[in-house]
Amino acid sequence: MHLKKLTVKNFRNYYNNTFEFCNSYNFITGANGTGKSNILEAVSVLSNIKSFRNASDRAMIKQYESYYYINGVVAEDTFENVFEAAFQNKDKIKKKYKINNSKVDRLIDYYGKFITVNLSPTDTDLIIGEPEKKRRYIDSVISKIDKEYFKKICEYKRILNNRNTILKSGIVHLKNIQVWNELLAEKSSYIIKKREKFLNDILDLFANNYQKISNENDSVSIKYRPSVTGETTADILNQIENNQQRDKRYKTTTLGPHRDSYSIKYRGVDCSLYASNGQLRSLSIALKLAEKNIVEENLNKKAVILIDDIFSELDRLRRHNLIRLMKNQNQVLFTVPTVEDLSISDLADSTILNLDK
Amino acid sequence: MASPSEYLDALIRELNKLPGIGSKSAARAAFHLLEMSDANVKQLLNTIIALKENVLECSLCGGISDTPVCSICTDPSRQQQTLCVIEDKKALITIEKTGTYKGIYHVLGGVISPLDGIGPDDIRFPQLVERCKSESIKEVIMATNPTIEGDATVLYSLKVLKPLGIRVMRLARGLPVGADIDFTDVATISKSLLERSEVL
């Protein structure tokens, strides 16, 4: 699939603008503060419901305005779909999504229809960042390809909140907490299995992509670090129950998928210790491209790739490799200050959108 | 927005408080009441007042009743060994409509939901345990909604009632009657497969 046309109203610095994109490489250029990344952000909101910069909907509305509106025409094989996202912050807060002019009531029916993968400066958080960011990332990717997972995660959070409320109250009746232990164990077992499988599936793709970008043969690996382990729901329940005294002391649930993480090793050592900025950048790109591979394979569609200003940390060889890796594969939207910075020789059939004028 | 009549506005506001009645429906009903004959309006009012004055909560099952103990609880043809546990009074009417259930009921008046500050003692759960101990109940059918909190209530009942030698059941989950498999969500289909039943 590829994005043909994007219209934004009252979004960030845009009042009412329409941009057209070609099917291969699109370079959005301009000086700092001209709104290059804002275009990618609008695309990411349209595709993923959320901003990749983690901005709130309110923050994305143009100053002094009360709503934003995004419209994208997405071409797929022989047909076109129109996606619309709108947020209103006047009287009542309202968020609305439409596909081909019909309103989508449940986000689950919208998420994963227009697929994008975005590469941005904050991606290194997925390599060495806090576990929470890592978890949110794998949950968002698995949810894209597995709707059931999305539901289970929501249910899990609800059970967890209920259990934590009991723990917080300080009055913990054995039978009462047991109920929530069992519900928690059942969902945990499902979530852990799915995460395990996902990280296993992504492992080879990740290592492979890293080699293609860096031309290195160094080993890289990604490993799931669940906070509870066990083949069966009963095993997990056992651990949750054994941990109950601790939970009571801390007044919160200290074990479970909400405490999981994964670790990435480079040459057999944890990356947070030794990797350079450039290496972290390459690793994060390899991970995002592995996400692209797996999402495309599962949904049987090509993703649109959004690349936000990540070239500064890459050497010439790696830039070259990255650009070659996606050539003739996907539509790519890049933000760069000037095209000359890229030192790419072959710019044929690319579109350049200069915001400086 | 205000109409030339304060009285009309007041009535619309009151009707608007009812569940499922938005401001437009409320206005429609209010105008209709204005057109109705005095006798009909009085009859409606009297019916509402009579409802509030006469309908009681059955002291046994907690359902609605015109007498201290409801007609279902006192019906000798009802099986006294089977007890159907429901969330609210309205669910009783819904299940009665099926005509297939021949046992008695117990209305919980809610489900266990720590997030809303509702524990087992905040609903009619202690009464349920008491009934199971004092009456000749052998089987309890948990007919709470299939939500997280509904499920928690089922699990809790199992923990408390099973040691009393009571068989705890819950409603089957799966395809609704007349549904189309293609339009059914995955969770429902997988439940239907797990709880499949033999064709007899």
Side-chain angles (χ1 to χ4, degrees), chain B residues 45-192:
Chain B
L45 275 180
N46 288 337
T47 319
I48 295 173
I49 292 164
L51 172 89
K52 282 307 284 179
E53 283 177 351
N54 296 308
V55 178
L56 307 166
E57 187 173 273
C58 169
S59 59
L60 271 177
C61 69
I64 54 159
S65 172
D66 293 348
T67 48
V69 178
C70 76
S71 55
I72 296 171
C73 288
T74 49
D75 186 346
S77 69
R78 289 274 176 164
Q79 294 163 8
Q80 303 290 322
Q81 285 92 5
T82 314
L83 186 69
C84 180
V85 178
I86 47 188
E87 280 183 37
D88 54 37
K89 297 182 172 96
K90 203 171 149 276
L92 191 151
I93 312 292
T94 313
I95 296 179
E96 270 307 283
K97 264 189 201 153
T98 64
T100 40
Y101 180 64
K102 300 288 177 229
I104 50 176
Y105 292 94
H106 185 85
V107 181
L108 282 177
V111 280
I112 297 174
S113 176
L115 274 177
D116 300 308
I118 300 172
D121 295 344
D122 301 311
I123 53 178
R124 298 182 73 253
F125 196 83
Q127 288 91 324
L128 171 65
V129 181
E130 204 41 55
R131 288 186 77 182
C132 289
K133 281 179 182 162
S134 61
E135 296 173 31
S136 57
I137 291 156
K138 294 211 168 65
E139 179 182 335
V140 162
I141 304 168
M142 297 299 296
T144 50
N145 287 317
T147 56
I148 298 287
E149 288 76 11
D151 285 352
T153 311
V154 174
L155 271 178
Y156 187 78
S157 310
L158 180 71
K159 292 206 178 301
V160 177
L161 303 178
K162 210 180 171 192
L164 302 176
I166 285 164
R167 197 168 172 213
V168 180
M169 312 283 279
R170 72 156 178 228
L171 295 185
R173 287 153 187 220
L175 290 180
V177 175
D180 189 319
I181 288 188
D182 292 340
F183 290 109
T184 309
D185 65 300
V186 194
T188 308
I189 296 176
S190 60
K191 279 267 189 259
S192 306

